[in-house]
Amino acid sequence: MLLPKILSFLHNHYGKLLSLVLLFSAYAFIFTYLPVTPMIIWLTLMSSAFVWFLIEVNANRAEPVRIFNGFLLAVFLLVFDFVIENGGAILGYWHTARSAYAIGVVPIEVMFIILFGGVAWYLYLPKELSRTFSFLDITAFAFFGMLGEFVLSNHDMMIYTQGWTSMHAFIAYAITWFILHLVRYRVLRE
């Protein structure tokens, strides 16, 4: 009796968000306390984004417009991130290292994660705006974005300079995800 209720919860939007929070928490623990290399971190994050993409595209396969809109949002995020990351580097707030290849300071691995993870993120969101869900989603992605950068910093993959801190990262991620929610629900209406 309990298993169907658990599976039903994990299938709804709040259950999916909880699953992401648990996954991100596990990665933060593993990448912090176990001996991993930057290559393992990048491969884990890229493959996770791609698997999430495949799951969400499969779940939404009957809605090609929704999938197309997911790609539009992901491309928007890719361009937005490219401008912000390189702009911050030009201003001297951070730089990156230990990537297979970077365009400016944006690692190719981050571009892959944004493209596939961005589509998956769009598809996992509720079709109709829920302010409560949006608040929780923005808060979760801001927190784990900040935590992710902290982990990357511990592996010398991202280096903060000129007073940039994790709190700045949290605020920047919160603003970014707020903008993404606006784009999702005000621009890319279905």
Side-chain angles (χ1 to χ4, degrees), residues 38 96-98 151-159:
T96 60
R98 306 183 86 177
V151 169
L152 294 179
S153 293
N154 285 343
H155 290 276
D156 297 323
M157 299 163 70
M158 182 163 201
I159 297 91

Side-chain angles (χ1 to χ4, degrees), residues 40-174:
I40 290 172
I41 293 171
W42 285 133
L43 289 175
T44 301
L45 296 176
M46 289 189 308
S47 57
S48 295
F50 191 68
V51 168
W52 186 28
F53 165 81
L54 292 175
I55 290 167
E56 292 296 339
V57 166
N58 183 55
N60 291 275
R61 66 185 175 276
E63 300 182 72
V65 171
R66 188 166 162 76
I67 295 169
F68 179 75
N69 283 348
F71 275 103
L72 289 177
L73 181 109
V75 169
F76 169 79
L77 178 56
L78 191 61
V79 171
F80 184 85
D81 179 74
F82 184 83
V83 169
I84 296 298
E85 280 200 60
N86 282 304
I90 289 168
L91 294 173
Y93 290 118
W94 55 72
H95 60 277
T96 60
R98 306 183 86 177
S99 166
Y101 181 76
I103 300 176
V105 297
V106 184
I108 194 76
E109 298 89 347
V110 168
M111 292 180 207
F112 183 94
I113 293 164
I114 289 173
L115 182 62
F116 291 103
V119 174
W121 177 81
Y122 179 96
L123 295 173
Y124 114 102
L125 291 174
K127 290 183 181 180
E128 299 297 323
L129 174 65
S130 163
R131 293 180 197 275
T132 301
F133 185 84
S134 289
F135 173 78
L136 293 172
D137 184 75
I138 290 166
T139 303
F141 275 87
F143 176 77
F144 284 103
M146 172 192 71
L147 185 58
E149 288 192 5
F150 177 79
V151 169
L152 294 179
S153 293
N154 285 343
H155 290 276
D156 297 323
M157 299 163 70
M158 182 163 201
I159 297 91
Y160 291 160
T161 55
Q162 291 196 23
W164 189 264
T165 67
S166 292
M167 186 51 67
H168 293 104
F170 177 83
I171 293 166
Y173 277 103

